[in-house]
Amino acid sequence: DIQMTQSPSTLSASVGDRVTITCRASQSISTWLAWYQQKPGKAPKLLIYKASSLENGVPSRFSGSGSGTEFTLTISSLQPDDFATYFCQQYNSYLYTFGQGTKLQVK
Amino acid sequence: QVQLQESGPGLVKPSQTLSLTCTVSGGSISTGTYFWSWIRQPAGKGLEWIGRIYSTGSTNYNPSLQSRATISLDTSQNQFSLKVTSVTAADTAMYYCARGRGGEFDYWGQGTQVTVSS
């Protein structure tokens, strides 16, 4: 299995901050990586696919970058609606795996 | 707008079979462009991909379920289903159905909680 490790596990920030979440793969996955946002009691929502492609309807303050084994999700200016948990997911192999999640909370 | 909705028993006894159905609206599951997956999430934990099925009926599963999972299609009802045999408390989770695109999941159901308990 390809292991996905996110850091940090918890991130405290304020509205307007620029925040970055990192996801590392245990082996190269090229750019086969997606990012999701999940709010309590809700299903995950796709934000970014193929490492840096923004899903339709997702605000442009979200961006993704990286390739190989290291990836980042950046929120350029945090909005109140952005406090949630974020997951990365690799799809380089058919055995899809997710990171353990990063909880973005109010500072 | 594509929508997915899970249904099935919320409580399953240990050693029995968990059965869930996902009804898809707003699009056909027979479209070859996509695949259909089940994903689960124990309370307070991360996401685990269970398996996928294509419109051809071809399937792939996560080996972590040790061959206990089966996914099937019912194109006449525009549904796909999940069965997990010999369940234990470790199978207690929120179960989501989702549409796969290139490998990412672009549409998800709201999820259904399944508890394994006697």
Side-chain angles (χ1 to χ4, degrees):
Chain A
D1 302 10
I2 298 175
Q3 306 302 316
M4 306 301 292
T5 304
Q6 288 182 234
S7 60
S9 295
T10 306
L11 179 57
S12 299
S14 302
V15 172
D17 284 353
R18 179 183 180 89
V19 300
T20 297
I21 299 168
T22 297
C23 180
R24 289 186 174 87
S26 60
Q27 64 188 72
S28 177
I29 58 170
S30 184
T31 55
W32 302 116
L33 184 103
W35 288 97
Y36 300 87
Q37 176 193 68
Q38 186 178 35
K39 295 183 178 178
K42 300 291 187 182
K45 172 187 174 184
L46 177 65
L47 301 175
I48 302 283
Y49 62 97
K50 210 162 182 296
S52 60
S53 295
L54 191 68
E55 178 69 357
N56 286 343
V58 174
S60 58
R61 63 180 180 273
F62 291 92
S63 63
S65 64
S67 65
T69 62
E70 187 151 337
F71 302 85
T72 58
L73 172 70
T74 299
I75 308 173
S76 60
S77 178
L78 204 56
Q79 299 301 301
D81 191 48
D82 300 338
F83 292 100
T85 299
Y86 293 83
F87 294 94
C88 60
Q89 176 228 335
Q90 68 79 21
Y91 48 101
N92 180 71
S93 77
Y94 86 89
L95 178 45
Y96 305 135
T97 50
F98 293 84
Q100 82 280 15
T102 294
K103 184 176 181 179
L104 179 53
Q105 62 184 22
V106 178
K107 192 173 191 178
Chain B
Q1 175 78 345
V2 173
Q3 293 185 315
L4 293 82
Q5 177 69 58
E6 305 88 349
S7 59
L11 182 63
V12 182
K13 288 181 166 45
S15 81
Q16 294 194 341
T17 297
L18 176 164
S19 296
L20 297 174
T21 296
C22 181
T23 301
V24 179
S25 58
S28 171
I29 63 169
S30 300
T31 304
T33 310
Y34 306 106
F35 62 88
W36 308 91
S37 268
W38 288 95
I39 296 159
R40 67 183 182 180
Q41 184 175 34
K45 296 192 178 180
L47 297 154
E48 179 182 38
W49 176 76
I50 297 171
R52 69 180 179 189
I53 189 164
Y54 286 88
S55 59
T56 58
S58 173
T59 53
N60 299 102
Y61 299 102
N62 191 328
S64 70
L65 277 88
Q66 299 174 318
S67 304
R68 297 186 297 123
T70 302
I71 299 174
S72 58
L73 277 178
D74 183 346
T75 54
S76 66
Q77 299 290 323
N78 219 37
Q79 296 175 334
F80 63 105
S81 299
L82 170 70
K83 291 188 188 301
V84 179
T85 60
S86 305
V87 297
T88 69
D91 295 306
T92 294
M94 183 71 76
Y95 283 75
Y96 296 101
C97 59
R99 187 180 83 169
R101 202 167 57 191
E104 69 278 8
F105 300 103
D106 59 352
Y107 287 97
W108 296 63
Q110 65 186 26
T112 189
Q113 175 66 37
V114 176
T115 301
V116 178
S117 175
S118 55

